[in-house]
């Protein structure tokens, strides 16, 4: 059994915030993999289902971002899980929009949700970082993450959420590198190779080793016999 946690703030006021992309990601996973209905548990919303061969619990804490660890701590104690069995999906301002990074352990990096989880279960859980971009000035970060995605943002955001949900089984199977690569391919597919220009006629002829004066079998061309009767003097 594994626990997947999406981070965000509860309530319609925050629903479209960049800070809530963790909620959005797990909502899409629940939809794509036909999880059970949400129910209130562990100071949050919980849904159960399977991804591949793994039984997965998905939790959206309703304690607000800076107290997310309370809900996560309750859940892992109830199910007797270890931090290594926990995956947390959240917004990352130090990644450009649409980029994804996965790692196990590490610091909070200024993220209040992670800081709270660290204080309740330690740091040895998996972090799935979804890039939302940096506003360019640290004084603007608060307004940036609590601001809504624009209509233009939804183009890459929805594409990212769909790819994460589609490929999440790779991550749960221990293939974090393949998971990141597959998502990256969806977000930035390789450019198609341009078609090769046709060879000039002279090159094609030379490549075929055919004498232009020979017939199709490579034999010298013989002039046709003249069957007309000789003319009278």
């Amino acid at each position: 059994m594994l626990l997947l946690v999406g981070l965000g703030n509860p309530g319609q006021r925050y629903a479209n915030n960049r800070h809530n992309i963790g909620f959005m990601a797990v909502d899409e996973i629940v939809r794509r993999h036909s999880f059970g209905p949400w129910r209130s548990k562990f100071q949050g919303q919980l849904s159960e289902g399977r991804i591949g061969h793994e039984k997965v619990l998905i939790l959206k804490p309703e304690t607000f971002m800076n107290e997310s660890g309370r809900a996560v701590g309750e859940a892992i104690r109830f199910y007797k899980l270890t931090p290594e069995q926990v995956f947390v999906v959240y917004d990352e301002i130090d990644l450009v929009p649409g980029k994804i990074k996965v790692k196990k352990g590490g610091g909070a990096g200024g993220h209040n949700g992670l800081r709270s989880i660290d204080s309740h279960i330690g740091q040895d859980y998996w972090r799935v970082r979804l890039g939302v971009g940096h506003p360019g000035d640290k004084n603007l970060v608060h307004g940036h993450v609590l601001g809504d995605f624009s209509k233009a943002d939804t183009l890459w955001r929805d594409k990212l959420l769909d790819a994460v949900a589609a490929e999440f089984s790779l991550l749960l199977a221990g293939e974090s590198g393949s998971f990141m690569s597959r998502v990256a391919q969806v977000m930035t597919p390789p450019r198609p190779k341009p078609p090769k220009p046709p060879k000039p006629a002279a090159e094609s002829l030379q490549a075929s080793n055919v004498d232009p004066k020979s017939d199709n079998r490579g034999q010298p061309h013989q002039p046709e016999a003249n069957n007309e009767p000789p003319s009278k003097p």
Side-chain angles (χ1 to χ4, degrees):
M1 180 185 294
L2 301 173
L3 177 65
L4 171 57
V5 182
L7 295 187
N9 287 309
Q12 191 59 37
R13 174 183 173 184
Y14 305 100
N16 197 39
N17 285 182
R18 294 179 182 88
H19 222 18
N20 273 39
I21 198 171
F23 274 8
M24 298 173 195
V26 296
D27 281 341
E28 181 59 22
I29 291 171
V30 165
R31 186 199 67 79
R32 176 177 282 269
H33 296 279
S34 302
F35 272 52
W38 294 103
R39 54 195 177 95
S40 296
K41 198 168 185 178
F42 308 125
Q43 302 182 63
Q45 292 294 312
L46 187 75
S47 179
E48 300 181 33
R50 302 192 76 86
I51 300 177
H53 300 295
E54 293 284 353
K55 181 176 181 180
V56 180
L57 305 169
I58 293 184
L59 176 66
K60 294 194 296 184
E62 293 186 313
T63 53
F64 285 96
M65 184 69 79
N66 60 356
E67 292 291 347
S68 299
R70 287 164 43 198
V72 178
E74 279 191 28
I76 71 166
R77 287 191 294 272
F78 182 86
Y79 290 108
K80 296 180 173 59
L81 301 176
T82 65
E84 291 83 359
Q85 294 171 289
V86 178
F87 295 78
V88 179
V89 187
Y90 63 96
D91 58 298
E92 176 57 77
I93 61 172
D94 290 330
L95 290 177
V96 299
K99 292 292 183 181
I100 184 171
K101 292 288 185 183
V102 176
K103 69 174 182 177
K104 180 184 173 186
H111 196 287
N112 289 333
L114 297 189
R115 185 179 290 113
S116 176
I117 294 173
D118 289 353
S119 69
H120 283 266
I121 72 170
Q123 298 180 331
D124 293 330
Y125 55 90
W126 288 89
R127 298 133 195 269
V128 183
R129 306 156 63 197
L130 305 183
V132 297
H134 196 286
D137 184 335
K138 65 179 182 180
N139 295 318
L140 301 177
V141 167
H142 183 78
H144 178 70
V145 296
L146 292 180
D148 285 355
F149 284 106
S150 68
K151 288 184 178 180
D153 288 334
T154 59
L155 297 176
W156 64 260
R157 183 201 67 187
D158 293 350
K159 191 176 181 181
L160 174 64
L161 297 179
D162 184 70
V164 167
E167 306 298 342
F168 211 81
S169 60
L170 288 172
L171 178 57
L172 299 187
E175 299 180 39
S176 59
S178 297
F179 169 68
M180 288 187 284
S181 295
R182 292 288 287 272
V183 174
Q185 287 174 6
V186 172
M187 299 305 294
T188 55
R191 295 180 180 179
K193 294 182 179 179
K196 293 182 178 179
K199 292 182 178 180
E203 287 186 20
S204 299
L205 193 59
Q206 185 178 3
S208 65
N209 271 333
V210 175
D211 187 342
K213 295 182 180 180
S214 67
D215 63 16
N216 292 335
R217 297 181 300 279
Q219 298 298 322
H221 178 71
Q222 299 294 332
E224 294 183 2
N226 187 359
N227 294 324
E228 295 183 0
S231 57
K232 294 181 180 180

